[in-house]
């Protein structure tokens, strides 16, 4: 029998139901994996062994009493930007280094109610601003497939932990690609649900019109279980949409024959990396064998996605981050002369360079006289992108494209070149701009052994189609089954 930390939630749940193992055993296995690999990978900001073991004991009792739910007893890592009552929630930042929220995020509450086991808070780029997890105040997370490389970001810790058995599943947030990119770079399956599908109550806000929480797992079966748990209406989040979500596990065995995937020519004409190209073309053959048809599409406005995103996201960030002023909570500078100096010193000390860059970009774009030239233009582009997607979905069930232009890059390679870093998200950002669901699924490896992801994008609330397509793909392929040698 392989070690418990290697198993998926679906496998563990059936062992638990059959009383062949216990949540305490599973949790101990995962905790020892965390201990062994943390010095090398650094997926976590904070690890809670005592909390995890006490939650595991409770889960075992629930199972014994016949009160188990599908994910009871399964260990999960939570991105460090979701409030965990009384435990540190730092958002990868010095300014929140000692912040202990007095309440749980809704997703954390759901995880507790399910009887899952919380392992700790996963490392991330500071305030989720980044594509590499290098801007974390707590130091970078490393890619389990090659420790010289980044895991992707901003939810790099959540992805790396699942990839190397330091968590069975995890959750992250995706504002411009922060779930799909690290999922692709770490060889796991990660989904950004539709804007409004999962509550953001208790998620530290980055860019509120784009942020969305979603799951990471080693396969689509686990993703579907997490979607069942997370996708539900929450009156505490005014953007949460009150609709009935289907049972996503029902889509795991549905045939895909007769479905149509759209191939956006603009995405593929930008691809220069041979490994990504050949993985995508092999993936296309797999779908074709399954009876899926392909049509070419044009999404002309996507070319402006990055430019518009880097107006909208920093604008929203600059106002969301105004609350970190050292008054009510978070870091406060020690020596200051008067209130204004206290604000300035606190923010100068508390925020890292990338966060400051975003605040300055956003404040500039929103300043009087510039609104029409920047924000309004970006908002118009956003409408065009949404229209382009809408039109595309008239001729296909989902869009088929890469997640990233190339596999994981080296630590330090782009951190001093913000434009290069921003361009990493060229294929993921448009999805957030339109509020659509998107998934990254392992679809191949580069010549030097790095995972490559495939992205599928569905119409609003089309998560079930993504589950259906990825499930069919994972039955035909074994990319998602390969593990890094550590
Ligand atoms: N890399 C993008 C950014 O820095 C997206 C990050 C995210 O999705 N949170 O804004």
């Amino acid at each position: 029998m392989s070690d418990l930390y290697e198993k998926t939630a679906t496998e563990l749940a059936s062992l638990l139901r059959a009383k062949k193992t216990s949540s305490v055993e599973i949790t101990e296995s995962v905790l020892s994996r965390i201990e062994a690999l943390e010095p090398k990978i650094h997926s976590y900001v904070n690890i809670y062994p005592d909390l995890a073991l006490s939650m595991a004991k409770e889960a075992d009792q629930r199972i014994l009493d016949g009160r188990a739910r599908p994910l009871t007893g399964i260990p999960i890592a939570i991105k460090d930007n979701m409030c965990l009552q009384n435990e540190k929630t730092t958002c990868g930042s010095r300014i929140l280094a000692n912040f202990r929220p007095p309440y749980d995020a809704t997703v954390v509450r759901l995880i507790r109610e399910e009887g899952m086991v919380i392992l700790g808070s996963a490392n991330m780029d500071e305030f989720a601003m980044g594509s590499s997890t290098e801007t974390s105040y707590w130091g970078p997370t490393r890619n389990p497939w090659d420790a010289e490389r980044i895991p992707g970001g901003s939810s790099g810790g959540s992805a790396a932990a699942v990839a190397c058995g330091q968590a069975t599943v995890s959750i992250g947030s995706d504002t411009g690609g922060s779930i799909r990119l690290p999922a692709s770079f770490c060889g796991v399956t990660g989904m950004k649900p539709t804007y409004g599908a999962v509550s953001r109550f208790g998620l530290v806000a980055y860019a509120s019109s784009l942020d969305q929480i979603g799951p990471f797992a080693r396969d689509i079966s686990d993703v579907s279980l997490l979607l069942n748990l997370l996708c539900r209406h929450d009156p505490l989040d005014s953007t949460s949409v009150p609709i009935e979500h289907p049972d996503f596990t029902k889509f795991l065995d549905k045939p895909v024959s007769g479905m149509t995937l759209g191939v956006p020519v603009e995405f593929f004409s930008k691809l220069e990396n041979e490994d990504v190209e050949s993985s995508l073309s092999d993936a296309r053959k797999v779908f074709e064998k399954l009876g899926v048809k392909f049509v070419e599409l044009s999404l002309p406005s996507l070319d402006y996605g990055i430019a518009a995103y880097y107006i909208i996201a920093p604008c929203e960030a600059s106002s969301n981050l105004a609350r970190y002023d050292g008054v009510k909570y978070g870091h406060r500078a020690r020596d200051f002369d008067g209130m204004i100096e206290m604000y300035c010193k606190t923010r100068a000390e508390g925020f890292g360079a990338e966060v400051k860059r975003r605040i300055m970009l956003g404040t500039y774009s929103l300043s009087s006289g510039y609104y029409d030239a920047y924000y309004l233009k970006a908002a118009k582009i956003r409408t065009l992108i949404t229209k382009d997607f809408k039109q595309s979905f008239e001729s296909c069930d989902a869009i088929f494209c890469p997640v990233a232009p190339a596999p994981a890059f080296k630590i330090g390679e782009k951190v001093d070149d913000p434009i290069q870093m921003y361009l990493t998200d060229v294929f993921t950002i448009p999805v957030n701009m339109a509020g659509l669901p998107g998934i990254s699924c392992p679809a191949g490896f580069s010549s030097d052994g790095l995972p490559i992801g495939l992205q599928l994008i569905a119409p609003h609330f089309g998560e079930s189609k993504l589950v259906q397509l990825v499930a069919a793909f994972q039955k035909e392929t074994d990319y998602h089954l390969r593990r890094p040698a550590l």
Side-chain angles (χ1 to χ4, degrees), residues 196-212:
V198 178
S199 167
R200 289 107 39 89
F201 176 76
L203 170 72
V204 180
Y206 161 16
S208 311
S209 76
L210 300 156
D211 299 338
Q212 187 57 216

Side-chain angles (χ1 to χ4, degrees), residues 79 128-131 154 173-178 206 309-310 313 358 425:
K79 188 175 179 178
M129 295 172 188
S131 308
S154 64
S173 64
D174 188 314
T175 305
S178 281
Y206 161 16
Y309 174 89
Y310 277 99
R358 307 285 179 109
D425 298 321

Side-chain angles (χ1 to χ4, degrees), residues 14 35 87 133 152 161 177 180 240 247 250 392 412 428 442:
S14 82
E35 201 180 314
E87 305 287 357
T133 316
R180 290 157 290 155
S240 159
D247 174 353
K250 294 241 163 76
S392 301
T428 50

